[in-house]
Amino acid sequence: MPLDDTRHAGDVPGGRVSADDFLREDVPRTVGPGTVILLNGTSSSGKSSIAKALLPLLAETYFHMPVDAFHAMRVDRGIADEDLQAEIDRTSKGFHRAVAGMAAAGNNLVVDYPLSRRWRLLDCLDLLDSRRVMLVKVYCPRAELVRRETERGDRTPGLAAAQYPVVHAHGVHDITVDTGRESPRQCAERIARRLSGGLPRPTAFERLAAALPSRVTG
């Protein structure tokens, strides 16, 4: 059933939202923050494929929030080389806050995003509830990354190899999956099984937050 302003999951099937519902001014209460499953891996490592396989395996409703979807919103216009990194950084910073906002409103998320720059990790540590984040190491051998990158043809050549030594440099994750050895479905099943027992205590984000310096974000 499509979800929109006139028909939603809380309605009696086939019913309509009343005029009184439109006039309500009280903001719906949030019971608690949502869970964030953060798939951290290089470009072409299989994060999006895992996310798509994972959603139907989870007991609760989850949204898939890929950073690529945010880049796709940008106008299709060339960006000068000297301006490109600043553009990417602004998008990444906004993406972090969109993820944090969705989670703070009680939404569960599967986020596929490479923590390939240290500031990204530090910013996410400051913004997200570290008790509600499962950090997944999505590993893929370098040779296989290069093969996939060449085959797909829609990534900057050498991007995966450049991210390879840094994306997992912080070391700590809650679970590791290897897309060079396992299919997206197998990786997703392992993640779902791990989550079914509850988030670990402390989570990788809690351990990283305790070990790394906090940053004031704006």
Side-chain angles (χ1 to χ4, degrees):
M1 181 174 69
L3 306 184
D4 55 34
D5 282 341
T6 60
R7 190 178 182 187
H8 56 80
D11 285 339
V12 173
R16 294 283 178 174
V17 178
S18 70
D20 288 343
D21 288 321
F22 282 112
L23 296 174
R24 284 182 57 186
E25 296 182 355
D26 53 309
V27 177
R29 190 171 75 91
T30 299
V31 175
T35 297
V36 177
I37 302 173
L38 177 51
L39 305 178
N40 173 38
T42 68
S43 173
S44 301
S45 62
K47 302 183 300 298
S48 294
S49 296
I50 293 173
K52 291 171 184 175
L54 180 58
L55 289 184
L57 299 179
L58 299 170
E60 298 183 66
T61 299
Y62 275 74
F63 289 84
H64 177 202
M65 283 189 70
V67 70
D68 284 351
F70 278 59
H71 288 298
M73 296 178 196
R74 190 183 298 113
V75 63
D76 187 9
R77 178 185 300 149
I79 301 172
D81 289 347
E82 62 270 22
D83 298 329
L84 182 57
Q85 191 57 56
E87 184 84 24
I88 292 171
D89 288 346
R90 284 195 300 273
T91 306
S92 296
K93 191 173 179 181
F95 178 69
H96 299 170
R97 283 149 183 79
V99 169
M102 283 287 285
N107 299 291
N108 299 315
L109 310 172
V110 177
V111 176
D112 70 77
Y113 184 60
L115 297 174
S116 53
R117 292 176 181 266
R118 185 174 175 83
W119 76 264
R120 294 182 179 182
L121 172 62
L122 295 175
D123 199 35
C124 287
L125 287 171
D126 277 344
L127 291 168
L128 300 177
D129 185 337
S130 60
R131 300 166 300 172
R132 303 298 304 167
V133 178
M134 172 183 276
L135 183 58
V136 180
K137 178 179 179 178
V138 180
Y139 172 78
C140 182
R142 185 194 296 261
E144 175 62 11
L145 288 171
V146 173
R147 186 197 68 78
R148 293 179 187 178
E149 184 177 80
T150 302
E151 185 176 87
R152 66 189 296 179
D154 63 350
R155 290 293 185 269
T156 302
L159 177 61
Q163 293 177 343
Y164 187 85
V166 295
V167 73
H168 301 136
H170 57 275
V172 181
H173 293 81
D174 294 305
I175 185 174
T176 298
V177 295
D178 183 347
T179 64
R181 300 168 63 93
E182 300 171 298
S183 70
R185 172 75 184 199
Q186 289 171 322
C187 293
E189 287 174 346
R190 290 189 54 222
I191 295 167
R193 283 196 300 270
R194 180 65 186 86
L195 186 62
S196 67
L199 288 165
R201 284 290 177 267
T203 65
F205 251 49
E206 285 179 299
R207 288 180 283 161
L208 287 165
L212 297 176
S214 178
R215 297 291 179 92
V216 176
T217 59

